[in-house]
Amino acid sequence: MSTETFDPQLLDYSNRPPRLPSPPNEANDRIDIPLDQRMRMYELQQELRQFEKRAYDLFMQNLVKGTSHLSLGMEAVATGFAMAMRRDDYTFATYRGHAHTLARGVPMGPVMAELLGRGTGLLGGKGGSMHLTSVEHGMMGSYAIIGAHLCIANGAAWSAQMRGSDQVTVAFFGDGTTNIGAFHEAINFAAIWKLPIVFVCENNLYMEYTPIDLVTPVEHPAADRAAAYGLERIVVDGNDADEVYDTARRLIEKARSGGGPSLVEAVTYRHGGHSRADPGKYRPKEEVDAWLQRDPLTLYHQRLLRLGVPEIELTKIAQDVARRVDEATEFAKSSPPPDPESLMTDVWADGGSSWRR
Amino acid sequence: MRQRLTPSGGLVGEAPFDIQLTRRLYRAMVFARTYDRKGMALQKQGRLATYAPFEGQEAAQIGAAAALEPNDWVVATYRDAALMWAQGYPWELLFAGRTGDERGGSPPEHVPVMPPSITVGGHMVHAVGLAWAEKLQGTDRIALTSFGDGATSEGDFHEAMNFAAVYEVGCIFLCQNNGWAISLPRERQTKSATIAEKAIAYGMPGIQVDGNDLFAVYEAVKEAADRARSGGGPTLIEAVTYRRGPHTTSDDPNRYRDPAEVEEWARRDPIERVRIYLSEHGAWDDEWQAAIEAEAQAEIDRAIELAESMPPLGPGEILDAMFETLPPHLEAQRRELVEGLR
């Protein structure tokens, strides 16, 4: 994202009519999910939220190398899907992939160290925020080229199909991706070959600085395209982890049992700008305020109170997560930078660098 | 699927134009088939490089061109010679292009037709650009881009359709669904039931017509052209037709499809049904048929002669068609090439 020299202030859509969220659906309280699992989903959303808030603070202290893209406000999507996935399922994410990485069980310490470019980082400090990958956790990578990873994700799904491994691939992408040619090619291919894959559009209403509805002739950039591939039209509330989870488990099960791919659109909102270079001021204030009110963590907190969970338990979870985020931060800060000897490794499969000589 | 003229020449509803125009378009389809069959023969004689035949798709191409204004843009493929010719592209340049001569890709100044696109799907984006340019300039010129069923799976199709719809440009997307993308059948190309319904994804109208029906194709394209010209934006038209020949002269379709299917489609020939219709209206006889076939043969022969009598291109001229002014680094390469061959 070469947005560092671009001045988003030049693009002002803040006078457009706001796109306001629909009211939260309290009926989702009745979705059949055991309470202990709901507690874990609350904890996971707290982890994603507090980790990224800390990451933001560290950016501000100039401790993070390179740019970064936060998904604050979008935690329910990563949570709902990760909870519905099997340990050996595959995740493909975009450069906005901190949450998807953590949600698959990758520990906070190495992820934080990676953001800070330390040798103890998930990728030895050489990948950074935009390339988080952990194959052992099924996190098959964060990709910076818009749309390209959908084709790569198809490859993983196709491989699972050929090996008969029952593994399902879940590929996340933003609303802007839906107007890229690779999106069209990937979904068509998956539908024809009946691949075990779920495509998840995280529609946060803005592609970088452009409102998605300005450049898309249909209301729902992903769901309204499903018909072109013979797929079901699915829109979910991306700020309600239970609704996301309920849909995710249905579609993942469908893919696992040979029912082929699905395309889901989770409508959500990013609380901040596109990247750290962007304060996000091009959005109408009324719109931002309304979506902040509809924060997925607030909604989930309220749901658990309605289901009879004492406030003190939720506070304890939040405090415990805060302590772990502190530990991850200390781990990262106290780690050394990468060894200069590692500069030429991790380029080829054999780890060597002889090709350079 | 819209139909006006059945395979046996019966009219459904009303004809979209009079007998005189029907005769002219019938004649054009005969010319097109003569060119196409000659192209296949010349390639076998080693006089053309690869040739991609369109036999069976004449109505889709001639019917579409007939619904355009003379200065509307046509941006088409290697299988669209009839469409391009009908909008003004000379036969001799179409032949020349197939001999590998770059000059075949440079239409005369006043002809609003782009050279044939070999890259599948890439040209659709160019058509949208032309239509957008006309819109920005406030003209009522529109663009028609033609492509096959295989092209609809290309990313360029998606990007072109989306852009055209968002900016409401006057572009007609004409898909000649001829059943086969080289060796891949239509049902394995995409999961949607029709190509036309892909228009839903872009919020634009989608129309499916019998692509072997001159009248139905004309009507659909005319409707789309009227909408585009009046600022109503783009339309996707799926003309259901059939590629009776191979993908190109380098392909043997007997390896992947049933010859019975080809015979079945021969019975739905686009030219024959117009002949029956004209005959029933007393507007066709053997004598006229013989006359137009002779005219077609003479015109195609003359075009071949023109193409083959063009002085051969020298090695230094292979870069001529690429830039209006050659950039310095390519100019240097050209000098090196010419001097090296001396």
Side-chain angles (χ1 to χ4, degrees), chain B:
Chain B
M1 189 164 72
R2 297 192 192 174
Q3 198 177 52
R4 274 275 173 269
L5 203 52
T6 66
S8 54
L11 191 62
V12 182
E14 280 180 38
F17 40 71
D18 62 18
I19 289 292
Q20 272 317 307
L21 183 54
T22 312
R23 271 168 61 94
R24 271 174 49 206
L25 298 180
Y26 176 81
R27 181 176 175 273
M29 290 197 291
V30 169
F31 272 55
R33 184 159 293 180
T34 306
Y35 165 88
D36 192 56
R37 291 190 171 169
K38 197 73 186 178
M40 288 296 280
L42 289 180
Q43 196 279 339
K44 290 188 177 113
Q45 294 164 23
R47 289 157 74 185
L48 298 183
T50 314
Y51 184 80
F54 56 79
E55 178 157 344
Q57 301 179 215
E58 293 88 349
Q61 298 190 23
I62 298 296
L68 298 177
E69 292 297 321
N71 68 346
D72 287 339
W73 293 101
V74 164
V75 189
T77 76
Y78 49 80
R79 204 185 302 285
D80 289 325
L83 169 64
M84 294 168 66
W85 165 71
Q87 196 68 352
Y89 213 99
W91 289 129
E92 57 270 25
L93 291 184
L94 290 163
F95 273 129
R98 298 280 66 75
T99 66
D101 189 323
E102 285 298 334
R103 287 169 296 190
S106 301
E109 190 80 25
H110 61 280
V111 172
V113 182
M114 297 293 274
S117 174
I118 309 297
T119 308
V120 174
H123 65 299
M124 301 158 78
V125 184
H126 307 161
V128 173
L130 286 166
W132 192 25
E134 296 296 347
K135 179 176 174 161
L136 292 173
Q137 291 174 66
T139 76
D140 66 353
R141 274 174 97 176
I142 61 169
L144 177 142
T145 182
S146 165
F147 50 92
D149 39 307
T152 65
S153 296
E154 290 283 348
D156 292 312
F157 167 84
H158 184 61
E159 297 183 358
M161 294 274 287
N162 186 62
F163 195 100
V166 167
Y167 289 93
E168 292 181 314
V169 307
C171 187
I172 301 170
F173 294 90
L174 174 67
C175 176
Q176 291 174 64
N177 169 9
N178 66 16
W180 292 90
I182 307 188
S183 55
L184 193 76
R186 156 62 188 88
E187 61 273 16
R188 293 193 62 199
Q189 185 63 244
T190 178
K191 253 323 210 192
S192 64
T194 69
I195 301 268
E197 73 194 48
K198 287 181 183 288
I200 298 166
Y202 313 98
M204 71 168 82
I207 307 171
Q208 190 189 50
V209 293
D210 179 345
N212 286 9
D213 175 346
L214 180 74
F215 291 174
V217 171
Y218 172 89
E219 271 187 348
V221 176
K222 187 73 171 65
E223 178 188 319
D226 289 347
R227 176 163 44 239
R229 222 178 290 288
S230 61
T235 304
L236 172 64
I237 299 169
E238 174 187 5
V240 180
T241 179
Y242 193 74
R243 190 196 81 206
R244 274 153 62 179
H247 169 68
T248 67
T249 43
S250 308
D251 171 45
D252 174 11
N254 291 324
R255 293 177 59 183
Y256 53 79
R257 72 178 181 191
D258 186 352
E261 185 183 294
V262 184
E263 279 168 36
E264 166 65 26
W265 277 91
R267 285 195 287 276
R268 296 183 224 170
D269 186 65
I271 302 182
E272 177 61 9
R273 69 179 77 178
V274 181
R275 189 195 66 76
I276 298 169
Y277 171 81
L278 285 173
S279 178
E280 283 173 356
H281 285 76
W284 179 92
D285 58 31
D286 288 331
E287 198 183 330
W288 183 59
Q289 181 73 24
I292 58 175
E293 279 177 12
E295 280 175 58
Q297 201 60 56
E299 181 164 317
I300 299 303
D301 286 347
R302 185 194 56 86
I304 295 164
E305 203 179 304
L306 280 171
E308 292 189 332
S309 63
M310 286 165 77
L313 281 177
E317 290 164 281
I318 60 171
L319 297 170
D320 280 357
M322 297 192 67
F323 293 89
E324 191 170 1
T325 311
L326 210 56
H329 71 286
L330 288 180
E331 189 57 61
Q333 285 183 26
R334 167 160 55 192
R335 263 199 312 277
E336 195 182 328
L337 173 69
V338 172
E339 280 162 21
L341 289 170
R342 205 167 269 156

Side-chain angles (χ1 to χ4, degrees), chain A residues 10 35 37 163 173 177 202 208 300 302-303 312 318 336:
Chain A
L10 295 175
L35 189 59
Q37 186 178 330
R163 288 182 283 116
F173 54 96
T177 305
E202 301 180 274
E208 296 213 358
Y300 214 75
Q302 288 164 350
R303 169 165 299 147
I312 183 77

